[in-house]
């Protein structure tokens, strides 16, 4: 039995006169009392069916009972539409199928929402995800994602990388988030961890001599969710022995150029610009700057030393944004709330009227003529200040910069600006815990000039690490790794991981590094994030087939679900009820 001769999006004028069998879903039915029109849909598009009771009375009887999302099979003659009924907005808009036979293959219960309905609650969409995935947008997104992954695989294999699968059940490693743990039935009281990334395992493939490894890897991170973060992520994982940063960057740039060219028909310029982490922070207040617009941060620290305005005079850093429009008092109040949400104590400002040139600000009277000259507020401008620790001014003004760009329409939504951010700090201080932590991960190599002295000045030590950014989205990051066991042990020591803990958690890695480990490095890029940017979606869940919601639940299946007492007994586990508050 043949279900169909063509897909629903394939009939064209050259097929006119052919007898065709089509199959798909009823996207829409229009009953004109005599003639019945049905839009038959599959993943390729729509063909209009015309059921004429005079031509096919049996098919007309069936058509009167058809409802949206019934699965149908139609047999008939493909004919040209009359000139006045041609639909140029459809790929099949010049033709229609005059139906002789119509069969209901499968019926549908009443739908919880219509596929063309806007503003459907996300929980309802996820509850009926199989229906939601029939939407044209999600069909497009997932096809785009699949095309992207195919291009990635082709690029990797053409460059000599070997696709090696690593285990899902492994050992907890410090990757920055909580682990998902899996109890072992055979080894009661012991647990596997689902990998946050295959970091150690891909390093071991280099020690094993495979030289070039890649994998489209599934990773798991038990962290709080948001629009651009999920707990199950897919990433392109890449590692190479005897690494050359320029070669790695060229490979990634060529891969992205191919993706954008083949998926979107857009040529992106390579090589990508580069910024050091320090420069990105200084100019944009971010380690993942959106460079589709200007509005760069400016520094007034030295210009305001000794200022009569005490907030400026006593602050470790005074920085500001120069915004090309004068704000009203109400607008400034709203912007202050945005700044306070990111840790600002307030938001000082200077506004120069575009017509009169008058300077409006409660702090203007405290600023000297030399300070005002240095700040150079032009007519029609507003200066927005943050005065605090350097990191706080970056956080506040970096966020305000993005907020203002959206509000003022400064972003070219059609542009894609890629860049590398390099020379990341190696360590960051956890003031609550009172110890140093790794900015990337503890296997990251120090920059060559810091190799022998990072322990003496960890706050300023730099890593051989880099991130790839597009339009303010971190697509991923990588580093060169430590391949000397002695150097790795020194880094562990600085992170507060003593010799016993090193052996318990990483003994196998240290043993491997001691048996002829080559220099190696690589990168990991988020497939979900890449697909989100490529599709122009603000939400990761719209480029993932079956995502969880923001509470980490699957409304479709009900996962995570309870297990039976027998299963708990078999695993040697007991549930402890939380005490009442």
């Amino acid at each position: 039995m043949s279900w169909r001769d063509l897909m629903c999006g394939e009939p064209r004028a050259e097929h006119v006169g052919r007898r065709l069998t089509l199959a798909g879903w009823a996207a829409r039915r229009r009953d004109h009392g005599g003639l019945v029109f049905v839009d038959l849909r599959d993943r390729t598009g729509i063909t209009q069916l015309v059921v004429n009771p005079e031509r096919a009375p049996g098919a007309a009887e069936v058509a009167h009972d058809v409802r949206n999302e019934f699965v149908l099979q139609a047999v008939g003659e493909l004919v040209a539409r009359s000139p006045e009924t041609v639909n140029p907005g459809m790929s099949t808009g010049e033709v229609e199928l005059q139906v002789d036979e119509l069969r209901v293959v499968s019926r549908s219960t009443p739908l919880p929402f219509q596929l063309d309905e806007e503003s459907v609650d996300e929980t309802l969409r996820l509850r009926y995800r199989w229906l939601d995935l029939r939407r044209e947008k999600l069909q497009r997104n997932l096809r785009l994602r699949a095309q992207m992954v195919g291009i990635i695989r082709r690029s990797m294999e053409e460059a000599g990388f070997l696709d090696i699968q690593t285990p899902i059940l492994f050992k907890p490693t410090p990757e920055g988030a909580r682990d998902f743990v899996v109890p072992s039935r055979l080894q009661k009281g012991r647990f596997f961890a689902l990998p946050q990334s295959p970091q150690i395992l891909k390093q071991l493939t280099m020690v094993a001599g495979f030289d070039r490894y890649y994998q489209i890897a599934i990773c798991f991170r038990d962290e709080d969710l948001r629009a651009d973060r999920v707990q199950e992520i897919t990433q392109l994982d890449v590692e190479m022995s005897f690494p050359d940063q320029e070669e790695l960057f060229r490979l990634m740039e060529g891969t992205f150029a191919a993706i954008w060219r083949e998926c979107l028909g857009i040529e992106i310029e390579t090589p990508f610009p580069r910024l050091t982490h320090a420069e990105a922070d200084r100019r944009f207040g971010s380690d993942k700057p959106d460079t589709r617009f200007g509005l760069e941060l400016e520094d007034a620290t030295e210009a305001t030393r000794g200022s009569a305005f005490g907030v400026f005079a006593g602050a470790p850093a005074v920085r500001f944004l120069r915004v090309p429009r004068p704000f009203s008092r109400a607008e400034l109040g709203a912007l202050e709330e945005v700044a306070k949400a990111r840790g600002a104590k307030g938001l000082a400002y200077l506004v120069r009227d575009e017509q009169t040139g008058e300077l409006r600000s409660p702090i203007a009277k405290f600023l000297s003529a030399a300070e005002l000259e240095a700040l150079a507020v032009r007519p029609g401008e507003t200066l927005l200040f943050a005065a605090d620790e350097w990191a706080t001014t970056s956080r506040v003004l970096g966020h305000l910069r993005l907020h203002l760009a959206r509000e003022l329409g400064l972003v070219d939504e059609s542009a894609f600006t890629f860049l590398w951010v390099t020379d990341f700090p190696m360590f960051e201080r956890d003031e609550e815990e009172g110890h140093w932590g790794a900015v990337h991960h503890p296997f990251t190599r120090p920059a060559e000039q810091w190799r022998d002295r990072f322990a003496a000045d960890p706050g300023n030590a730099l890593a051989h690490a880099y991130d790839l950014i597009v339009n303010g989205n971190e697509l991923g990051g990588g580093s060169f790794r430590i391949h000397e066991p002695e150097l790795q042990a020194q880094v562990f020591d600085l992170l507060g991981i003593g010799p016993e803990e090193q052996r318990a958690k990483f003994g196998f890695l240290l043993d491997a590094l001691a048996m002829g480990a080559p220099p190696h490095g690589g990168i990991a890029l988020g497939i979900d994030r890449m697909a989100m940017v490529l599709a122009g979606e603000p939400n990761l869940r719209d480029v993932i087939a079956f995502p969880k919601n923001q509470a980490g639940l699957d409304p479709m299946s009900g996962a995570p679900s309870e297990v039976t007492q027998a299963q708990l007994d078999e695993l040697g586990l007991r549930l402890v009820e939380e005490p009442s508050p």
Side-chain angles (χ1 to χ4, degrees), residues 424-427 446-447 450 453-455 457-463:
F424 273 78
M426 190 166 180
F427 306 104
W450 285 94
R453 59 190 182 98
F454 65 85
D457 189 9
N460 289 310
L462 298 180

Side-chain angles (χ1 to χ4, degrees), residues 423 446-454 462-463:
D423 300 327
E448 195 56 37
Q449 68 270 30
W450 285 94
R451 186 192 184 286
D452 299 320
R453 59 190 182 98
F454 65 85
L462 298 180

